[in-house]
Structure formats: C-alpha cells, structure tokens
C-alpha cells in the first residue's frame, strides 16, 4: 500500500484545495492530511483564518478523499508523521517548490501543480472587504497603517487629520480635515485623536453607522462611555477599545492561567508602564499636542488589574506628580486599589522611568512578565521550589496590532463584540481617567 501525506490550512475550502487533494490521493492508496492547528498557524504568521480548526477538519473530511487526518502543531512534525505512519510520498502544492526537499531523506517528495486563480486569502478578502478610515493627528506615528497590510480584506482608504497637507506614499489614500468626508468613504474607523476628542469622534462615527476601534480611553466620563455603547448596540455596530496588549496570545494566556488558580488565589496585581520616548519633559515642548501619562499608559496598565481582579474595587488612591497641572500633564502617576480579598497597583509615567514589568502575586506562586510586559511574548510561572517553574512563549508579531485588526474585522463580520476587552473593563478605565481629571481620590506630590 502506498501512503501519501499532505499538509495545509484549508481555510474556507475551495476547489484549489479539492484538486490538490484529488491529485495527492491519485498518487497512492491511502491519503493522510495534516491540518494546521490555530496556534501553529499563528506562529507561522497566518493570522487571518476565518474558520477554527474543527471546522477546517470537517470540511476536509467531507471531501470524501481523505483516509486519515492529523493536526499539525509544531515545526518538524512532518518528519515525525512520515516516520510514524510509514509514509511513502509527501505531496504539496507547487507554491512550496523546493521548501520541502529536506524530506527526501525520509520519503519521496512531489510538488503538485497549484490551481491558478484561487486561494483562501482571496476568498477571505472577497468576504471581508472592510474599508477603514483613520482619525487623528497621530495616525502617521502609529504602526496601524503598516500592520493593516497583514490582514486580508482590510484596507485603509482614508485619513482625517488637521494636517491634511501631509503627503502620503499611497496616492489612493484620501487625506482630509473633514470627518464627514472620511465617514462617507468607510465602513469603519480607527480613532487615534487626542483623548479629549475621542467621545466626539466616536459618537460621530457611530451615528454615521460606522464601526469603531478607538484608542483607550474611549471617552472622558462614564456617562459618555455608556452613551457610546448604547448607540453602538442600538445600531448593531462594533465599538472596541484599541489596547494592543489585550490581543497578544501570551497576555491572553497568562490572564487565563491567573484566573484558573495555577498560582493559587490572586492577592496582588502590580503593573508598571513607563516610557520617556515622547519627550514630554523636554525644553520648549508643545504640551497641547501630547498625551499625558495617564491617558498614554493607564489603559494598558489597568488591563490586567481589571481583567484579573474585576472592576469592583472597594477603594483607590491616585498619587500623582504633575509636570504641568494646568495642562493636565502628569509626569508620573501611581494608583493603588483595594479589593475585598486582594490589592493592585499601577505605575505609569512619561517623565520617569521604572522597570516595566507585570507581577501577579498568588498564594502558591506568581506570574512574572519581564519588561516591556505590554509587548508580551513571554512569561513565567514561578514557585518557591524553582524546579516547579514554568516558562511560556507565544509568538507575537506586530506588537499585537495586526491581531487587534483581525479581531476587529471578525467582530464586524459576526456582529459580536470582541471577547478581548469587555464593556465593563472599557468603562472602568474611563472612570479612572475621569476621576483623575476631576482630581478625585488624588494626592498630588
Ligand atoms: N493549493 C492549491 N491551489 C490553490 C490553493 C492551494 O493547490 N489555488 C494547495 C496548496 O499548495 C497546499 C494546499 O492546497 O498544498 C493547502 O493550501 P493552503 O495554504 O491551506 O491554501 P491557500 O489557498 O494557499 O491559503 P492562503 O491563501 O491562506 O495561503
């Protein structure tokens, strides 16, 4: 019996896949298909899959061409599989020509002609077709435009900025200082205007029927925040916080581990986010163009606090050192929270520097995320007996921004708000900023 093996993602199974499976099957008597796991695809930079693993497996099975299916989970697995199943032929589409020659040592490698004119990427792009507009003067400083290129079916079509005379490389990009003109052209917007303008920009976009991804905080008061979520719900639109860390796999997994008791009961969450890069303390800097430390960093720093301990704290104390109180620019701010059975603290600064780590203290051990924790691809579970320590690594491409965009596009497709940042967490973040702005529960140094 001649055994043939082939591998692929098989997202949105199309006739190109079916033809390949037919050709592979015809090479022998028994066809094994390796379908990539969602995590493995993510590590290979394939972030766009529309269908989860089980749906992709089902579709491959339903072709009736396959005798056995395996899940491909790691680099090097092909060699393992070939040995384990006693495979005679490894077959793959010609787009991989030369890439698998190393398998000739284990079996016969055959590159089959690829069907022209179709791919999962094209089907996805056809399905999605999401035109996004960017709002705010900081758009050129964000990595958003570049990162959107990695997401199938998403296109940045315009920018609304008061610096509308700026020349862009892309001639097709609309650059305007009139938000209404931008809103006419797009299905969704990414709002990165100054925080005090978020509410107004988000509201305008929602009322125009556009989905919104907005840098956190999405408003300056809880009342406004509630209103925005209400408009979004009434109009069946997606409103999402853009905190890129929330979309990193490592961060997502560490929150799950903390919540499932792997370090015992969580007693304390302590996060630090600082950066001097923005130069707010430099001589002669125009502070009116700058985000303060609170708006720049607190949403990120607060994320693990609210996602692990919840939003119902008993008490908080904000201690801040202003650079310019009138301009509402804090150099450094520390917030201490007391919960019924635990505590939390955040330190944020744009004019002071500290180790940017995240530590989650539990009754049995702790989770340690090294600096800069907000670009997490690695963390450790640490215990008294260091032999029990565990290390975790998850590939992070584009600091999480491209996953954030994928998640935004998927949320729009399914009309289900994303599972990453809940409305409660989004609104709790707004409340902290609101209290800071109103100098509530605050000690000034
Ligand atoms: N394949 C093919 N002809 C196509 C598309 C895919 O023969 N038009 C083959 C690939 O060469 C591979 C298998 O089908 O052997 C599974 O490919 P996969 O990567 O899952 O499909 P793509 O459509 O290429 O996906 P994407 O656009 O996401 O890269």
């Amino acid at each position: 019996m001649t055994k043939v093996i082939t591998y692929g993602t098989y997202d949105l199974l199309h006739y190109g896949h079916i033809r390949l499976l037919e050709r592979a099957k015809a090479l022998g008597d028994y066809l094994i298909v390796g379908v990539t796991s969602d995590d493995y695809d993510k590590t290979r930079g394939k972030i766009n899959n529309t269908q989860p693993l089980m749906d992709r497996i089902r579709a491959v099975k339903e072709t009736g061409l396959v005798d056995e299916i395996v899940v491909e989970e790691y680099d090097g697995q092909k060699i393992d599989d070939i040995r384990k199943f006693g495979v005679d032929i490894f077959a793959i589409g010609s787009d991989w020509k030369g890439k698998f020659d190393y398998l000739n040592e284990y079996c016969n490698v055959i590159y089959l002609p690829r069907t022209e004119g179709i791919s999962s990427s094209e089907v996805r792009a056809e399905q999605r077709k999401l035109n996004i507009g960017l709002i705010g003067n900081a758009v050129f400083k964000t990595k958003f435009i570049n990162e959107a290129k990695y997401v199938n079916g998403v296109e940045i079509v315009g920018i609304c900025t008061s610096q509308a005379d700026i020349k862009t490389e892309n001639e097709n990009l609309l650059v305007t200082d009139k938000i209404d003109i931008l809103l006419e052209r797009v299905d969704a917007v990414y709002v990165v205007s100054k925080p005090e303008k978020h509410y107004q920009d988000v509201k305008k976009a929602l009322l125009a029927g556009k989905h919104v991804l907005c840098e956190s905080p999405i408003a300056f008061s809880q009342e406004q925040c509630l209103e925005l979520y209400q408009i979004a719900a009434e109009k069946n639109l997606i409103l999402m916080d853009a905190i890129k860390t929330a979309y990193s796999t490592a961060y997502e997994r560490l929150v799950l581990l903390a919540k499932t008791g792997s370090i015992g009961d969580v007693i304390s969450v302590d996060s630090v986010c600082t950066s001097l890069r923005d130069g707010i303390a430099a001589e002669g800097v125009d502070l009116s163009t700058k985000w303060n430390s609170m708006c720049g960093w607190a949403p990120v720093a607060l994320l693990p606090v609210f996602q692990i301990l919840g939003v119902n704290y008993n008490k908080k104390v904000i201690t801040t050192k202003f650079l310019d109180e009138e301009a509402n620019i804090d150099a450094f701010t520390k917030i201490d929270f007391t919960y019924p059975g635990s505590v939390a603290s955040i330190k944020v600064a744009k004019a002071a520097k500290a180790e940017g780590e995240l530590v989650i203290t539990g009754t049995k051990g702790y989770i340690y995320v090294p600096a800069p924790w907000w670009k997490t691809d690695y963390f450790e579970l640490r215990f008294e007996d260091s032999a029990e320590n565990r290390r975790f690594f998850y590939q992070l491409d584009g600091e999480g921004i491209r996953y954030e965009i994928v998640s935004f596009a998927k949320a729009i497709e399914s009309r289900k708000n994303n599972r990453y940042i809940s409305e409660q967490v989004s609104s709790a973040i707004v409340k902290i900023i609101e209290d800071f702005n109103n100098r509530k529960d605050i000690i000034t140094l």
Side-chain angles (χ1 to χ4, degrees), residues 166-367:
I166 289 184
K167 288 268 168 293
T168 63
E169 284 167 27
N170 178 354
E171 286 168 11
N172 297 326
L173 199 69
L174 164 81
V175 183
T176 174
D177 55 1
K178 304 203 172 44
I179 190 166
D180 295 312
I181 293 181
L182 180 81
L183 290 174
E184 271 172 27
R185 289 263 194 111
V186 301
D187 310 302
V189 290
Y190 165 55
V191 177
V192 64
S193 50
K194 290 235 26 224
E196 56 268 32
K197 280 195 71 220
H198 286 178
Y199 165 72
Q200 154 195 347
D201 290 339
V202 173
K203 188 170 173 182
K204 210 155 185 176
L206 290 173
L207 289 175
K210 311 300 171 185
H211 305 281
V212 178
L213 175 66
C214 179
E215 280 298 327
S216 195
I218 64 165
F220 260 7
S221 79
Q222 264 199 316
E223 200 186 330
Q224 291 174 342
C225 180
L226 198 71
E227 185 194 345
L228 295 177
Y229 276 108
Q230 246 164 20
I231 302 173
E234 277 160 20
K235 292 184 157 277
N236 195 20
L237 293 168
I238 298 298
L239 170 57
M240 239 169 84
D241 273 83
I243 306 177
K244 60 181 192 276
T245 306
Y247 304 88
S248 102
T249 311
Y251 172 76
E252 216 191 325
R253 299 283 158 91
L254 77 86
V255 170
L256 295 178
L257 280 176
K259 285 187 163 196
T260 45
S262 44
I263 52 166
D265 296 331
V266 176
I267 298 293
S268 182
V269 177
D270 300 277
S271 82
V272 179
C273 299
T274 70
S275 159
L276 295 174
R277 200 171 306 140
D278 210 14
I280 61 167
E283 192 87 1
V285 80
D286 177 7
L287 286 177
S288 71
T289 64
K290 299 291 182 190
W291 291 42
N292 61 14
S293 303
M294 277 297 280
C295 286
W297 279 122
V300 189
L302 289 167
L303 199 66
V305 173
F306 290 150
Q307 290 193 321
I308 294 169
L309 297 177
V311 299
N312 298 320
Y313 50 87
N314 293 341
K315 193 178 163 220
K316 68 162 185 316
V317 178
I318 305 175
T319 311
T320 199
K321 187 169 177 62
F322 279 104
L323 193 66
D324 182 335
E325 182 162 7
E326 211 159 297
N328 200 28
I329 299 282
D330 55 327
F332 168 93
T333 296
K334 182 172 192 290
I335 309 181
D336 293 289
F337 295 90
T338 315
Y339 282 79
S342 52
V343 293
S345 77
I346 69 158
K347 268 193 244 174
V348 295
K350 284 177 92 180
K353 192 74 190 159
E355 186 72 6
E357 59 191 16
L358 169 65
V359 180
I360 302 160
T361 310
T363 49
K364 293 187 180 144
Y366 66 100
I367 296 175

Side-chain angles (χ1 to χ4, degrees), residues 29-209:
D29 313 298
Y30 191 84
L31 177 63
I32 306 169
V33 177
V35 181
T36 49
S37 74
D38 297 324
D39 267 1
Y40 182 53
D41 266 335
K42 220 168 177 185
T43 65
R44 312 192 294 148
K46 262 202 163 194
I47 56 169
N48 284 299
N49 292 349
T50 301
Q51 293 181 296
L53 173 66
M54 290 316 286
D55 292 0
R56 292 182 284 118
I57 287 180
R58 195 173 307 121
V60 170
K61 213 182 249 168
E62 281 170 4
T63 62
L65 294 163
V66 180
D67 298 291
E68 190 164 347
I69 292 181
V70 294
V71 176
E72 187 182 19
E73 294 179 284
Y74 55 91
D75 283 329
Q77 187 182 326
K78 291 185 179 79
I79 297 176
D80 266 355
D81 289 345
I82 290 167
R83 283 178 171 155
K84 190 160 72 188
F85 296 108
V87 167
D88 304 289
I89 298 172
F90 170 88
I92 196 96
S94 50
D95 44 324
W96 293 97
K97 195 147 184 74
K99 297 258 170 54
F100 293 106
D101 289 355
Y102 69 90
L103 292 175
N104 272 313
E105 197 182 324
Y106 308 94
C107 68
N108 191 6
V109 174
I110 298 181
Y111 297 100
L112 295 166
R114 187 181 157 93
T115 309
E116 291 303 314
I118 179 118
S119 72
S120 302
S121 311
E122 287 166 63
V123 180
R124 282 190 297 260
E126 205 51 45
Q127 264 192 344
R128 240 170 228 161
K129 284 233 154 95
L130 190 66
N131 288 336
I132 300 189
L134 274 47
I135 299 175
N137 286 340
V139 292
F140 298 106
K141 278 194 247 156
T142 72
K143 297 179 177 136
F144 197 89
I145 297 181
N146 216 24
E147 286 297 307
K149 292 181 189 146
Y150 293 92
V151 185
N152 289 159
V154 161
E155 200 170 340
I156 307 295
V157 294
I159 290 173
C160 176
T161 164
S162 65
Q163 302 150 349
D165 50 343
I166 289 184
K167 288 268 168 293
T168 63
E169 284 167 27
N170 178 354
E171 286 168 11
N172 297 326
L173 199 69
L174 164 81
V175 183
T176 174
D177 55 1
K178 304 203 172 44
I179 190 166
D180 295 312
I181 293 181
L182 180 81
L183 290 174
E184 271 172 27
R185 289 263 194 111
V186 301
D187 310 302
V189 290
Y190 165 55
V191 177
V192 64
S193 50
K194 290 235 26 224
E196 56 268 32
K197 280 195 71 220
H198 286 178
Y199 165 72
Q200 154 195 347
D201 290 339
V202 173
K203 188 170 173 182
K204 210 155 185 176
L206 290 173
L207 289 175

